[in-house]
Amino acid sequence: MRKLITALTLALSLGSFAFAAEPAKQATGTAAAPAMTAPAATQAAPAVPAAPMTAKAATTAPEQKKSFKANPVVTIPIFLIIIGVTMMVVVWSAKRTKSAADFYTAGGGITGTQNGWAIAGDYMSAASFLGISGLIALYGYDGFMYSVGWLVAYITVLLIVAEPCRNAGKYTLGDILSFRTEPKPVRAVAALSTVTVSTFYLTAQMVGAGKLMQLLIGIPYKTAIIGVGILMVGYVVFGGMTATTWVQIIKAGLLMTGAFLLSVLVAAKSGFSPLRFFNDIATSPNIIEHVQKVVLKDPLPVPGFDYGQRFLEPGLFLKQPLDQISLGMALVLGTAGMPHILMRFFTVPTAQAARKSVIVAMFIIGFFYILTTLLGFGAALHVTPQEISKVGKGGNMAAMMLAQQLGGDVSPFLGDLLLAFLCAVAFATILAVVSGLVLAASAAIAHDIYVNVIKDGHADQHEQVMAARVTSLCVGAAGIMIGIAAEKSNVAHLVALAFAVASSGNLPVVVMSLFWKKFNTAGVISGLVVGTVASIALVMVSPNMTYPKKVAADAQKTVTVLEKKQAEGGSLTDKEMKDLAKAKADYAANKDGKSMLGLDAPLFPLKNPGILSIPLGFLAAIIGCLAFPSRRSEEMFDEIYVRQNTGIGIAKAVDH
Amino acid sequence: MAEKQYDWSAIAKNPKFVELHRKKTTFLVGWWVFSTVFYFLLPIGAAFAPGLFKIKIFGRINFGYLFALSQFFVSWGIAMYYAHVANKDFDRLTRELVEELK
């Protein structure tokens, strides 16, 4: 029966890709058009790597001078190989998934090294490898500086949460938090928070996936979402944590291989000399022109100013220090509060293995971000920022274009092959990340809410696994529907929002329940609720939202400039005529509008709420438990403290 | 399947546990604070001391690039050092404690 369903899933997903090749041709022209009207198009440069992806999809529409697409003859077979291999993993792991522990934590039988690769695979989203190399290609140094926080975040994971969580928890965030508190309300709130964070992150990933597949191989948006969705549901429902882990490991391996190969090609171009590489960048006429005209907007070069060197200095992209610091706080603390990352520590048998897995992950992730420097700067040098921005304003295609070009220098086939390989990596990346999220969300619903709140913990293994499978199916289906519904909305802020909620809601209560004796039920609930609500509320009134009055003002400016030019007798180009018409329409549509919450302008000036919402989360948690002290929680502190430090009494790993 | 019952507060008062706990806390909090301060020097420095970041060190490679790169090596260094200390000291103390309780 199970094999039959697996085969059916496989057939369906393959079918959706095969079918996709056909309507793609006419879809590319029209699919981009509705995006023009999306408010996202007028938003300023985004602050998260996921952001350029959506901004770009919206802005490529008006002028599609250059068509950039993978060669389907090479790409489709590589996709099929990846889907085939991962499906084999699912069939293999489905046989091993019998108990709830198997489903949620692969029976605790993953080794430290395997888990390290899986953490890296779970964490490095398509946005980080496409987005960060794109940022570097267009803005130089700031793109590289941006990537640092994503690695440093793991120091907090390593030193503060990984080992205690492995020793204190079982399957979910709720397990850690309900240890010495009232289990029912705490589990319910923890599950709600997990589902919230996972939904934000999942929506951003799904929309990114749809747009990326549409752009790269011409699969229509909806088909791409449904294809990715069916595969992710297949992995999670049948293979549980074992299949998800292996998909993540395979993806991390592919990603590192792709990034490494491409970096070697880039380094070879400069004779493997870093000095020559940086000299080539600073003296490249294309980069000099890009920095002068596009980034710094100097109409004429300032005599004696070294525009090439400026590309290697900070301040071209990240212009608001406070926003930058706020994002840094959310990254450094939020990663440790991400439910899908926390969940990975329950898959290893001991605290030692948890420690080892974080260290392995840190080396992979760090090495990868260092490679993105080569990819990003290499793309600026060899593809040129001009060509990259023609394909997408956020620069998301930089690494892809670099692959095609450097491979193409050797032979056109190699160019297509490298590009196809990177497309496949992007695809595998999305699958790995979304599977991890679906698993974390369904564990929260099935294990925390269904088994422990509704059934009071009285559910046999069969029922628990059944509940886990059914919730995964529902979460996956919801993910597909949200992905389709959010096609035209601006999801750029959702990744930042996920990190904000994880750092302001989850992290304070996790840290306090592990380390603070007086911590109790009231503290967990007030910390989680206030941290989550504060981050969401601050984002809703931040510059991330669309403020129609501002859009109208910008459109008005364009209209004034162009009409003045017209009045002075200058004739407008076709493109300017189009811009004028669009600006007029934008102005009319937006002049009386208000933001989603009825505001004319943002109330909170930063895109990242962390700097305010993290202290609020901590404060609420402290006030909550001081206001309602609990003797029982204090008495049980010794137990959780001894357990998390020594690992005494944790569930033993199951032998397969 | 009956789990052994431990007297948790007695273990918490065990000198071995107290020693383990003290050593761990000092080490973990200290290095966490160090790494966090070191990381925030990057965005704060880039914003408020851009002149420093522009100083060329090797050819066209400037201080800013080397500083950002150093973040990776410092993070790895802390991770390796922690693994070394934990494998040597913390795990040994934990093992001794668990043995004693058997």
Side-chain angles (χ1 to χ4, degrees):
Chain A
M1 178 64 191
R2 189 175 287 153
K3 270 191 185 152
L4 185 74
I5 302 175
T6 316
L8 203 67
T9 318
L10 178 64
L12 266 176
S13 43
L14 292 185
S16 69
F17 283 102
F19 154 80
E22 275 318 300
K25 284 170 197 97
Q26 70 262 29
T28 41
T30 49
M36 263 168 67
T37 52
T42 52
Q43 291 254 334
V48 284
M53 195 178 285
T54 46
K56 171 215 59 222
T59 43
T60 39
E63 35 166 349
Q64 240 162 11
K65 283 181 198 160
K66 192 181 164 92
S67 78
F68 174 71
K69 200 150 285 173
N71 181 352
V73 182
V74 193
T75 313
I76 301 288
I78 296 190
F79 268 59
L80 294 184
I81 293 172
I82 290 190
I83 295 173
V85 169
T86 50
M87 276 297 164
M88 270 152 54
V89 171
V90 173
V91 173
W92 168 77
S93 45
K95 285 187 207 138
R96 278 147 213 270
T97 305
K98 294 186 187 85
S99 67
D102 294 336
F103 191 89
Y104 296 125
T105 65
I110 306 282
T111 69
T113 311
Q114 288 167 350
N115 199 39
W117 279 89
I119 292 172
D122 207 353
Y123 190 66
M124 294 187 291
S125 60
S128 65
F129 99 90
L130 297 177
I132 291 179
S133 50
L135 281 184
I136 298 175
L138 295 185
Y139 298 97
Y141 179 76
D142 277 5
F144 181 49
M145 191 171 88
Y146 185 88
S147 69
V148 173
W150 299 79
L151 172 77
V152 174
Y154 274 90
I155 289 283
T156 308
V157 179
L158 176 68
L159 298 184
I160 311 288
V161 304
E163 294 174 49
C165 281
R166 165 57 275 180
N167 282 338
K170 201 172 164 203
Y171 306 145
T172 64
L173 178 68
D175 289 336
I176 302 169
L177 298 180
S178 64
F179 201 85
R180 55 193 177 110
T181 53
E182 289 289 327
K184 282 195 181 184
V186 166
R187 278 189 190 276
V189 176
L192 206 62
S193 150
T194 298
V195 173
T196 310
V197 174
S198 307
T199 310
F200 288 152
Y201 213 90
L202 185 64
T203 308
Q205 296 294 331
M206 290 296 268
V207 174
K211 299 243 162 96
L212 192 67
M213 293 298 121
Q214 188 180 35
L215 203 92
L216 278 176
I217 23 182
I219 301 176
Y221 180 84
K222 267 185 202 146
T223 319
I225 296 269
I226 294 171
V228 167
I230 290 175
L231 282 173
M232 98 187 157
V233 168
Y235 297 150
V236 179
V237 170
F238 298 109
M241 184 53 102
T242 314
T244 305
T245 303
W246 281 101
V247 170
Q248 285 161 348
I249 295 174
I250 292 170
K251 164 268 165 106
L254 288 174
L255 182 60
M256 293 307 288
T257 311
F260 185 73
L261 280 178
L262 206 49
S263 303
V264 170
L265 287 179
V266 171
K269 285 254 173 192
S270 297
F272 295 99
S273 153
L275 287 180
R276 203 179 119 196
F277 181 57
F278 280 92
N279 197 47
D280 289 348
I281 298 163
T283 52
S284 151
N286 290 310
I287 295 177
I288 291 175
E289 194 213 342
H290 169 76
V291 172
Q292 179 218 325
K293 290 192 177 149
V294 182
V295 183
L296 294 177
K297 300 193 170 63
D298 290 347
L300 290 171
V302 178
F305 190 85
D306 193 345
Y307 287 100
Q309 184 66 25
R310 187 71 189 80
F311 197 63
L312 302 172
E313 292 165 358
L316 294 181
F317 178 69
L318 306 167
K319 291 185 178 116
Q320 278 191 303
L322 213 54
D323 218 346
Q324 193 41 34
I325 292 162
S326 186
L327 175 71
M329 287 174 70
L331 286 180
V332 166
L333 299 174
T335 305
M338 278 288 181
H340 65 291
I341 299 291
L342 279 180
M343 204 175 169
R344 291 233 55 93
F345 298 120
F346 306 133
T347 63
V348 289
T350 59
Q352 285 78 4
R355 179 194 309 149
K356 188 175 177 193
S357 59
V358 183
I359 293 170
V360 169
M362 281 180 73
F363 275 93
I364 299 169
I365 295 167
F367 189 53
F368 172 75
Y369 282 130
I370 293 177
L371 290 183
T372 56
T373 342
L374 282 163
L375 302 187
F377 282 131
L381 193 58
H382 302 299
V383 187
T384 75
Q386 288 81 359
E387 290 297 309
I388 296 167
S389 10
K390 267 184 211 163
V391 171
K393 282 239 163 70
N396 278 297
M397 287 302 124
M400 300 284 184
M401 295 172 80
L402 182 71
Q404 197 180 33
Q405 179 152 341
L406 292 188
D409 285 351
V410 183
S411 85
F413 176 74
L414 189 67
D416 280 350
L417 189 69
L418 261 184
L419 176 61
F421 181 70
L422 276 205
C423 290
V425 169
F427 178 70
T429 292
I430 292 162
L431 285 177
V433 176
V434 292
S435 305
L437 290 166
V438 168
L439 193 60
S442 60
I445 299 173
H447 175 67
D448 284 326
I449 301 213
Y450 178 75
V451 174
N452 281 299
V453 176
I454 298 176
K455 304 283 281 186
D456 260 330
H458 302 302
D460 61 27
Q461 286 298 332
H462 178 73
E463 194 183 351
Q464 287 196 33
V465 176
M466 209 49 210
R469 291 208 153 113
V470 171
T471 44
S472 312
L473 192 66
C474 298
V475 171
I480 296 173
M481 282 189 280
I482 295 173
I484 290 173
E487 178 180 357
K488 282 161 203 158
S489 49
N490 175 16
V491 295
H493 55 282
L494 287 181
V495 172
L497 196 51
F499 274 91
V501 172
S503 59
S504 326
N506 297 355
L507 186 87
V509 295
V510 169
V511 169
M512 287 189 195
S513 50
L514 291 173
F515 297 101
W516 192 31
K517 186 166 185 160
K518 289 199 160 86
F519 203 55
N520 60 31
T521 310
V524 174
I525 293 177
S526 58
L528 266 180
V529 170
V530 171
T532 306
V533 171
S535 2
I536 297 175
L538 285 172
V539 169
M540 299 293 281
V541 299
S542 75
N544 291 301
M545 295 289 123
T546 308
Y547 295 91
K549 286 244 163 72
K550 250 187 95 212
V551 176
D554 289 344
Q556 183 66 25
K557 231 184 271 167
T558 314
V559 173
T560 319
V561 170
L562 290 176
E563 279 184 342
K564 194 171 157 227
K565 190 175 169 192
Q566 222 169 10
E568 282 164 355
S571 65
L572 298 183
T573 61
D574 279 357
K575 184 181 168 284
E576 284 173 324
M577 289 302 283
K578 262 190 212 156
D579 286 349
L580 181 61
K582 183 178 172 292
K584 278 182 174 164
D586 275 355
Y587 179 72
N590 288 301
K591 70 178 175 3
D592 296 320
K594 288 193 183 297
S595 84
M596 210 194 281
L597 292 183
L599 297 172
D600 287 337
L603 285 179
F604 181 70
L606 304 180
K607 289 185 167 187
N608 297 291
I611 203 164
L612 188 58
S613 62
I614 295 169
L616 275 176
F618 272 102
L619 207 64
I622 294 172
I623 293 174
C625 65
L626 289 183
F628 302 95
S630 152
R631 271 186 62 94
R632 187 179 155 267
S633 295
E634 280 188 48
E635 280 163 5
M636 282 187 72
F637 180 70
D638 283 343
E639 178 175 349
I640 194 169
Y641 209 80
V642 171
R643 272 179 189 261
Q644 54 133 319
N645 272 297
T646 60
I648 294 172
I650 62 164
K652 287 273 171 291
V654 184
D655 278 333
H656 282 295
Chain B
M1 189 59 203
E3 211 179 280
K4 191 179 164 191
Q5 290 299 311
Y6 293 98
D7 181 353
W8 300 106
S9 54
I11 303 175
K13 289 190 194 78
N14 183 308
K16 277 232 168 67
F17 182 79
V18 174
E19 187 194 350
L20 173 70
H21 168 202
R22 191 177 40 79
K23 276 194 172 169
K24 258 182 140 171
T25 313
T26 326
F27 185 94
L28 298 178
V29 173
W31 283 105
W32 186 79
V33 170
F34 170 81
S35 76
T36 308
V37 170
F38 188 71
Y39 165 64
F40 280 102
L41 286 178
L42 181 68
I44 294 173
F48 299 104
L52 175 69
F53 279 52
K54 290 179 184 178
I55 297 170
K56 291 182 203 167
I57 310 272
F58 303 110
R60 294 281 192 162
I61 303 174
N62 56 21
F63 175 80
Y65 185 80
L66 292 177
F67 186 49
L69 201 61
S70 77
Q71 296 274 344
F72 291 91
F73 291 93
V74 168
S75 299
W76 287 338
I78 294 174
M80 291 303 286
Y81 181 52
Y82 170 60
H84 173 75
V85 172
N87 290 338
K88 205 180 83 204
D89 283 355
F90 303 159
D91 288 355
R92 179 180 50 84
L93 280 170
T94 311
R95 233 181 357 256
E96 286 173 14
L97 179 69
V98 174
E99 284 299 315
E100 198 181 304
L101 295 172
K102 264 185 184 165

